[in-house]
Amino acid sequence: MLRIAVPNKGSLSAPAAAMLHEAGYQQRKESKELVLVDPENEVEFFYLRPRDIAIYVSSGRLDIGITGRDLLLDSGADSEEILELGFARSTFRYATRPGTAGGPQDFGGMTVATSYEGIVARHLAENGIDASVVHLDGAVETAIELGVAQVIADVVETGTSLRNAGLEVVGDPIMTSEAVVIRRRGAGTDDPKIQQFLRRLQGVLVARAYVMMDYDCRVEHLEQAVALTPGLESPTISPLHHEGWVAVRSMVAAKEAQRIMDDLYDLGARAILTTAIHACRL
């Protein structure tokens, strides 16, 4: 069986389980379950701490895993990402009290508090910055107030919690992160079971990003309509009973669907419908 590591808790857990369910895999019903066997799909899922997944995968005991890019890089494990999953996106940045530093170039002699010691230490070393790093679990915003550090490095989304703590973001982002599928470095993805797993997840990503659009169009406007809805290869065109009209079906990007519907309507198209795509293979 294909042995896959899945986050057992935290912000990665629920979206990962939802994606795997959409891809046709069984998922656990109780959070206490640590192992789940899906015999129909020949897969065995292991529910592990997100921070540990890269280490288990790098050992070769598990074939692949789902974790965050930040956790993968912070672990220093000999694993690599093989597919981006598009959820749990975040930006990792430095922050400090206003006036303390303009950016990492001013961190010399300072202490940086973070939950991601590996990433920060590597970033400082790569930029030749002589600063020390202290590892803290949980909220690191209080590290400056309590005198543990002069700078923190943490995941930043809106920046509200930093502003509430009297801090400001400084410098460019250290990195951007999202959920990824990982594999032991150099192991490759030639295994048919791994290829099938990746195709299923890619199918979910496409299904989430596109909708199927159907509409009726006058023949004389067809080329203009097709230019708006080119599809992946080309749209499906079918003649209607009323002469001079055709039915068109095409995949369009979900985020563009409303604008495209407006443009088609202005062109004279009618009966414009969109439907969700639940699964696909391209």
Side-chain angles (χ1 to χ4, degrees):
M1 284 192 171
L2 188 66
R3 294 157 65 89
I4 303 174
V6 183
N8 67 343
K9 59 182 179 179
S11 61
L12 290 165
S13 178
M19 175 168 277
L20 291 169
H21 177 73
E22 289 179 51
Y25 295 102
Q26 294 181 30
Q27 287 298 287
R28 62 180 182 173
K29 295 180 174 61
E30 298 290 337
S31 60
K32 294 182 180 179
E33 291 183 72
L34 300 180
V35 181
L36 183 144
V37 178
D38 183 353
E40 291 186 0
N41 291 300
E42 298 185 8
V43 170
E44 191 171 9
F45 293 104
F46 294 81
Y47 296 90
L48 306 169
R49 292 180 68 248
R51 279 189 172 273
D52 297 337
I53 287 176
I55 297 172
Y56 280 107
V57 171
S58 70
S59 73
R61 299 300 178 92
L62 299 181
D63 299 301
I64 51 181
I66 295 176
T67 189
R69 180 183 295 127
D70 52 354
L71 299 175
L72 165 64
L73 297 178
D74 192 59
S75 72
D78 196 23
S79 299
E80 60 185 349
E81 63 179 80
I82 55 176
L83 179 66
E84 297 177 344
L85 296 180
F87 63 86
R89 288 191 171 105
S90 61
T91 304
F92 198 61
R93 307 196 67 162
Y94 293 112
T96 186
R97 282 179 173 161
T100 301
Q105 69 278 1
D106 301 323
F107 292 169
M110 295 184 183
T111 299
V112 182
T114 184
S115 299
Y116 298 83
E117 183 178 1
I119 292 175
V120 174
R122 190 178 307 114
H123 184 264
L124 293 172
E126 289 174 353
N127 288 276
I129 300 166
D130 183 19
S132 58
V133 180
V134 59
H135 178 87
L136 296 176
D137 287 320
V140 297
E141 292 93 340
T142 57
I144 295 177
E145 181 181 354
L146 296 177
V148 174
Q150 294 79 44
V151 182
I152 66 168
D154 202 5
V155 172
V156 177
E157 294 181 3
T158 63
T160 300
S161 59
L162 292 177
R163 288 191 294 272
N164 290 340
L167 306 178
E168 66 177 5
V169 169
V170 294
D172 295 327
I174 302 169
M175 65 169 293
T176 57
S177 181
E178 66 179 285
V180 294
V181 178
I182 64 171
R183 180 87 161 110
R184 182 165 56 88
R185 190 177 301 279
T189 57
D190 294 336
D191 186 328
K193 293 180 181 178
I194 293 179
Q195 292 180 351
Q196 181 188 70
F197 179 78
L198 295 176
R199 279 197 302 272
R200 286 196 181 191
L201 294 190
Q202 288 167 335
V204 172
L205 291 171
V206 172
R208 289 178 173 182
Y210 288 84
V211 295
M212 190 65 72
M213 184 170 290
D214 293 90
Y215 59 91
D216 297 341
C217 178
R218 293 286 304 175
V219 171
E220 57 265 29
H221 298 145
L222 181 59
E223 289 305 316
Q224 292 172 277
V226 167
L228 294 171
T229 59
L232 297 184
E233 277 79 27
S234 63
T236 299
I237 312 294
S238 305
L240 294 179
H241 179 69
H242 289 289
E243 186 176 352
W245 284 84
V246 293
V248 183
R249 163 166 280 202
S250 181
M251 285 175 61
V252 301
K255 64 181 181 180
E256 299 290 335
Q258 292 294 335
R259 179 189 59 79
I260 292 173
M261 292 176 77
D262 290 336
D263 291 343
L264 287 172
Y265 190 89
D266 291 342
L267 193 61
R270 294 296 181 265
I272 309 168
L273 309 173
T274 62
T275 52
I277 300 171
H278 296 292
C280 71
R281 296 290 186 276
L282 300 182

